[in-house]
Amino acid sequence: MISRDTLIRAFASLGCVIGQSAIATLGKGDEWTKHIVVPSAGDMINSAVANDFDGDGQMDILSSFDGQVVLLQGPNWKRHILHVFDDSRSRTDPRSGCIHSCLIDADGDEDLDFCGSNNTVFWLECPADPLSGKPWTYRTVDDDILGTHCLITGDVNRDGQVDLIANSGRTADKTDFPDSITWLEIPEQPHSASHWIRHVFADRDAPGGSHYTGFGDVNGDGRPDISCAAKGGAGFPGGEWFAWWEQPANATGIWRKHVLADDQPGASNIHPVDVDQDDQLDFIATRGHGSGVLWFRGPDFELHEIDSEIEGPHCLSTIDLDEDGDIDFATCGRDVTGTAAWYENDGRGGFARHDIGHNQGSYDIRAVDMDGDDDLDLLIAGHTSNNIVWYENSLK
């Protein structure tokens, strides 16, 4: 009898994506168990991040929903309210929750603070006792940029200090920094500064509803570059592209835009990673407001369709999920009928799709060891499912 792994390798070597019926036969999708953290909220939950904030060896989750930023203390997910949104904190009225978030040591005290985008980009200072019951102190990062759909971190200017990358995706009638992408330096006095130091590197150069960004040295010059995607469609002219911006010798100078493809309806996510292990960065991308996942093979960035069928893959995690030494990826559809799936890389850019869950929406997926067993699980913020769940990895 031909083994399951032999079949997977055979399909992947042909560049095939294994369909749903084959997934059920071949497994590797069934080996994930769904755990519910928040079964239902009053509104969408767009983003969730994880860290062991209380040092008890159990992963905790930070998210925002129902007008609050909440720490969910593992393993029983007791709720601690860290911040309640109100319109006195910034010039723009907050939503009921952040569209995106990340963790960053904003004040250099060696713990992770929470950074969120809720019209205003803000940070909450993690105190010495994160679960004291007292609110975490709220401070503004930037309330001039608007429509920030993504927050990621990286040392952009290579000064040894982490920076924040944030887009400003609204038009000129809404913000002074329309259709742009920025990187933001932490000021010398983050506790008293009214704003972080803003550098607009894609100045009115990212139209059409820019979405999520990626970070990495694409051209091998030692300087990290930044990638992004824009969905386009009705109300978002100039979109439907995947692109990356090449960093100049001085990070505050003029960055050069490289368009990878400009006929991609619903483009949303793009990460620079070495897909085929040739020491050249490629890109994995998704069309979260359309359908399909794809990759661009470097250095010429030829487009290869991986799976044209998956609907609304509005989130992306690129990492070695099965610990075989190559980069896999995971995504999930944004609607309540969405499918969560991971794609197994054969090491040469041939991918096998494995469905791990159905009827689950998502705007955010993170690869995190949620249960302390030294493999990577998948944490999902449920968007239209209004929930937070994680899928336990049992591939080993």
Side-chain angles (χ1 to χ4, degrees):
M1 174 179 287
I2 299 174
S3 72
R4 179 186 69 185
D5 288 345
T6 299
L7 282 171
I8 290 173
R9 286 192 294 269
F11 274 100
S13 68
L14 295 173
C16 295
V17 176
I18 299 176
Q20 185 173 338
S21 60
I23 292 165
T25 302
L26 297 178
K28 293 199 176 181
D30 299 330
E31 296 168 356
W32 297 73
T33 303
K34 185 175 184 177
H35 300 270
I36 298 174
V37 177
V38 175
S40 182
D43 204 346
M44 294 176 179
I45 305 179
N46 297 314
S47 186
V49 293
N51 182 55
D52 180 9
F53 283 97
D54 54 358
D56 66 352
Q58 302 288 337
M59 199 62 71
D60 310 306
I61 295 171
L62 264 175
S63 187
S64 60
F65 52 90
D66 294 343
Q68 303 169 337
V69 180
V70 177
L71 190 152
L72 302 155
Q73 184 181 9
N76 298 316
W77 312 123
K78 179 182 177 181
R79 296 189 185 188
H80 301 264
I81 299 172
L82 307 184
H83 176 72
V84 177
F85 292 116
D86 67 79
D87 57 11
S88 67
R89 302 273 185 168
S90 69
R91 297 182 300 140
T92 53
D93 292 339
R95 305 180 184 91
S96 62
C98 298
I99 196 70
H100 205 233
S101 61
C102 68
L103 296 174
I104 184 172
D105 183 3
D107 50 5
D109 63 356
E110 299 185 355
D111 61 25
L112 290 174
D113 308 297
F114 177 81
C115 184
S117 170
N118 193 1
N119 286 327
T120 294
V121 180
F122 67 94
W123 68 284
L124 300 179
E125 181 186 355
C126 179
D129 182 0
L131 305 180
S132 66
K134 297 179 180 179
W136 290 19
T137 301
Y138 175 102
R139 294 185 175 91
T140 297
V141 172
D142 197 318
D143 61 0
D144 291 311
I145 62 176
L146 194 61
T148 299
H149 214 89
C150 181
L151 296 170
I152 64 171
T153 61
D155 184 1
V156 176
N157 59 349
R158 295 158 291 132
D159 66 351
Q161 303 296 318
V162 69
D163 306 300
L164 184 69
I165 299 161
N167 57 331
S168 184
R170 294 292 182 262
T171 51
D173 59 327
K174 303 288 181 57
T175 175
D176 292 334
F177 303 96
D179 298 328
S180 300
I181 312 175
T182 72
W183 65 276
L184 299 146
E185 283 186 272
I186 300 173
E188 289 188 7
Q189 302 295 328
H191 294 139
S192 58
S194 59
H195 285 77
W196 288 14
I197 304 165
R198 182 194 314 114
H199 303 280
V200 184
F201 71 88
D203 189 0
R204 302 178 185 238
D205 199 22
S210 64
H211 265 52
Y212 299 98
T213 53
F215 185 74
D217 181 7
V218 176
N219 57 358
D221 64 0
R223 300 187 290 267
D225 309 299
I226 297 172
S227 55
C228 191
K231 66 177 182 177
F236 296 94
E240 302 186 356
W241 49 259
F242 294 107
W244 66 282
W245 279 260
E246 179 182 350
Q247 183 178 164
N250 185 334
T252 63
I254 298 173
W255 294 48
R256 180 185 174 193
K257 182 180 182 180
H258 301 265
V259 176
L260 297 165
D262 59 3
D263 55 353
Q264 301 294 310
S268 59
N269 304 70
I270 181 165
H271 291 179
V273 290
D274 184 0
V275 172
D276 51 0
Q277 302 185 98
D278 63 352
D279 297 321
Q280 166 67 51
L281 281 192
D282 316 292
F283 291 96
I284 292 177
T286 74
R287 306 182 192 97
H289 282 272
S291 61
V293 294
L294 58 145
W295 72 286
F296 296 93
R297 186 193 299 270
D300 298 324
F301 302 117
E302 178 185 2
L303 190 157
H304 297 266
E305 200 77 28
I306 297 171
D307 177 6
S308 61
E309 300 300 320
I310 189 166
E311 292 289 335
H314 202 277
C315 56
L316 179 64
S317 178
T318 50
I319 201 161
D320 184 5
L321 287 168
D322 54 4
E323 300 181 13
D324 65 352
D326 54 38
I327 295 294
D328 312 299
F329 71 94
T331 187
C332 183
R334 73 180 191 276
D335 295 325
V336 291
T337 55
T339 294
W342 79 280
Y343 291 77
E344 181 182 10
N345 188 356
D346 67 358
R348 300 179 300 278
F351 288 91
R353 170 178 159 177
H354 306 288
D355 289 3
I356 64 173
H358 298 281
N359 298 316
Q360 175 64 51
S362 179
Y363 255 30
D364 198 6
I365 189 169
R366 313 273 176 151
V368 182
D369 183 7
M370 293 296 298
D371 50 5
D373 64 353
D374 296 322
D375 61 20
L376 291 171
D377 311 298
L378 293 172
L379 173 65
I380 287 179
H383 188 54
T384 47
S385 297
N386 295 11
N387 63 0
I388 299 174
V389 303
W390 67 278
Y391 287 93
E392 179 182 353
N393 182 348
S394 303
L395 293 172
K396 291 195 300 185

